Amino acid sequence: MDERRLAEQFAQTGNLMDLCASEDWLKESAQAEADCGGRVEAGLTLREYAARLGAPTIEQLQMVKLQSTLFSVLRTWMESWELGLSFETTYTEARRLIRHRLQHLSPEQQDWAKRLLAGPEQNLAFDQQSVRSEAIAMLGDILTQDDWQTLANTAAQGMAIGVLQMRQLDIVSAKAS
C-alpha cells in the first residue's frame, strides 16, 4: 500500500481500517497477493513499529470496544435509510464524526457508555432491541445538528456523483454501440 493512499485514508476518516471497506482496495490487495504467489508479509519493520507503539491502554481498548459496538448498530441503522450509492461515503463520514464526538461525551453519555461496556457480551443482535434502540438514541444524541447537516450533504453529494457516473456510463455505452 502506498504512503499517499494511507495518508489520505487517515486524513479522511482517522482510521486506516476503513480501507478494508473499499472494494477497489480489496481488489488491489487481492491482486498484490496473487502477483507474489500469496506470500504477503508485513516485513521486519513491523516489529520495530509495534514495539514503538507499546501495549494499548485499558482506555484505548474500551474505546475500541465502544466504537465496535456503536458502529455495528450504526451500520444497521443507516442501511435502513436506503442511501443507495451514497451509503459507504455517508457511513464513513458518520463514523468519523462519532469518533470525534466520543472524545467529548457529556457526563450522562459517559455513564451510558460505561453501562454499555460493563454489560454482557456486546453482540448487539436484532433480538436485543432495547440495547440497540438505546444505542441508536445515543448516536442520535451524540451527533450535533451540524453533524446531521454534514451527513445530509455527504449523502446528497454521493448520490449526485452516482447519478453523474451513470450518465457517463450511458454516454460511453451509446458511443460503443
Side-chain angles (χ1 to χ4, degrees):
M1 177 65 49
D2 64 89
E3 296 291 325
R4 179 194 56 77
R5 187 153 185 196
L6 290 170
E8 288 172 359
Q9 177 64 33
F10 188 74
Q12 181 182 1
T13 68
N15 184 359
L16 296 178
M17 294 305 294
D18 286 339
L19 280 173
C20 296
S22 164
E23 189 172 324
D24 291 338
W25 181 83
L26 289 172
K27 286 178 183 175
E28 287 175 25
S29 297
Q31 186 59 49
E33 188 172 339
D35 291 346
C36 67
R39 295 188 50 86
V40 178
E41 299 176 3
L44 296 176
T45 57
L46 183 61
R47 283 189 209 136
E48 180 184 325
Y49 175 75
R52 276 189 280 149
L53 286 179
T57 65
I58 297 293
E59 292 79 17
Q60 289 170 328
L61 292 173
Q62 291 292 332
M63 182 58 75
V64 167
K65 187 175 179 182
L66 179 62
Q67 287 181 16
S68 174
T69 301
L70 291 177
F71 292 165
S72 67
V73 170
L74 176 68
R75 181 180 245 337
T76 303
W77 184 34
M78 287 183 68
E79 284 172 348
S80 74
W81 299 358
E82 299 182 14
L83 294 171
L85 296 172
S86 64
F87 174 80
E88 284 301 327
T89 56
T90 307
Y91 177 61
T92 298
E93 182 66 15
R95 287 187 318 222
R96 185 190 68 76
L97 292 168
I98 290 167
R99 274 190 201 96
H100 175 73
R101 296 293 172 214
L102 287 174
Q103 303 302 316
H104 311 286
L105 293 177
S106 71
E108 297 83 21
Q109 292 167 337
Q110 289 175 11
D111 289 343
W112 179 85
K114 286 177 187 173
R115 284 193 317 273
L116 178 68
L117 292 171
E121 186 59 37
Q122 301 309 312
N123 185 7
L124 297 179
F126 289 107
D127 59 334
Q128 296 176 332
Q129 290 298 320
S130 64
V131 176
R132 197 170 159 273
S133 296
E134 271 187 53
I136 290 172
M138 182 55 63
L139 289 169
D141 189 41
I142 289 172
L143 296 171
T144 66
Q145 185 61 37
D146 287 342
D147 294 340
W148 284 105
Q149 187 61 55
T150 298
L151 292 177
N153 292 344
T154 301
Q157 184 180 23
M159 190 57 69
I161 290 169
V163 168
L164 294 172
Q165 286 175 343
M166 297 315 278
R167 176 67 180 138
Q168 285 300 111
L169 290 175
D170 288 343
I171 290 171
V172 171
S173 296
K175 287 182 179 180
S177 300

